[in-house]
Amino acid sequence: MFDPVGQWRRYLSAGRSMHATGRHAAETFDSANRVVAARSAIIGQAFVSPWTADHAELGRMIPEKIEAFALAGAALAAVWWDNGSLWMKHMQHLGIMAMRGRPPTGAELADLGQRSAVLALRSVEAAAKLGSAGLAPVRTQVRANDRRLKSAGKRARGARRGVSD
C-alpha cells in the first residue's frame, strides 16, 4: 500500500543525509588542508636532510590514497549498480505493459504510479548514498592522517623544547 507520509519522511531523511554529507565534505577539506601543510613540511625536511627524513610518513602518502579512493569507487559502484537494477526492473515493467496490445487498466495505471513514486524515492535515496558512500573512505583516511600528524607535530615540538611525552 502506498504511504505518502512515509515517502515524505524518507525524502526528508535523504535531504538530511545530503546535508550531513556536505558538512562532512567541508570537514574533510579542512582536515586535508592541514594534512597537506604537515606533509609539505615533511617533504621539505626530506629535501634538506634525506637521511633523517620521515620515510614512514613519506611511504604512506600514495598507497593510502590508492586504497581510500579504491574503496570509495567500490562503494559508488555498488550504489550505482543497485539503483541501475531498480531502473532496469522498472523499464522491463513498462515494456511488458506496452506489449500487452491494449490500454492499461485503472488498476495497472495505479500500480504504475505507485511503482514510479517508489522508484523516484529510491533514486533520491541512492543519490544521497552516492555522496556519503564515496566520501566515507576518503574522510576516514584524511581524519586519521590529521590526528596522527597533529600528535606527531606535538611530539616533535615537545622534543625540540626538551619536553617528553
Side-chain angles (χ1 to χ4, degrees):
M1 174 156 194
F2 184 68
D3 176 19
V5 174
Q7 288 261 7
W8 282 109
R9 284 184 181 154
R10 287 174 63 185
Y11 276 117
L12 289 172
S13 178
R16 284 191 299 272
S17 175
M18 288 180 191
H19 174 74
T21 299
R23 192 179 70 252
H24 291 159
E27 292 167 358
T28 301
F29 290 140
D30 186 44
S31 294
N33 189 33
R34 288 190 298 271
V35 169
V36 167
R39 284 184 166 173
S40 294
I42 292 169
I43 292 169
Q45 291 168 356
F47 277 120
V48 172
S49 179
W51 298 111
T52 60
D54 187 351
H55 294 285
E57 188 63 35
L58 292 169
R60 285 186 191 106
M61 292 182 189
I62 301 301
E64 72 185 11
K65 285 174 185 59
I66 292 170
E67 180 182 5
F69 283 100
L71 291 171
L76 290 172
V79 173
W80 198 268
W81 186 268
D82 289 343
N83 194 45
S85 68
L86 290 173
W87 276 94
M88 286 305 297
K89 287 177 186 174
H90 188 68
M91 298 315 278
Q92 287 173 342
H93 181 75
L94 287 176
I96 290 168
M97 286 184 71
M99 299 306 281
R100 286 192 177 133
R102 60 172 173 75
T105 65
E108 290 171 339
L109 286 175
D111 179 60
L112 179 62
Q114 182 177 342
R115 286 173 178 264
S116 298
V118 169
L119 180 63
L121 172 62
R122 298 279 303 269
S123 294
V124 169
E125 289 175 333
K129 284 181 192 174
L130 275 174
S132 62
L135 180 63
V138 175
R139 180 175 186 247
T140 300
Q141 188 62 55
V142 168
R143 290 175 72 198
N145 288 342
D146 192 23
R147 283 191 301 270
R148 187 183 66 254
L149 291 168
K150 277 181 187 175
S151 66
K154 288 177 184 175
R155 283 194 305 271
R157 284 189 298 278
R160 283 194 296 266
R161 284 185 257 146
V163 178
S164 63
D165 287 337

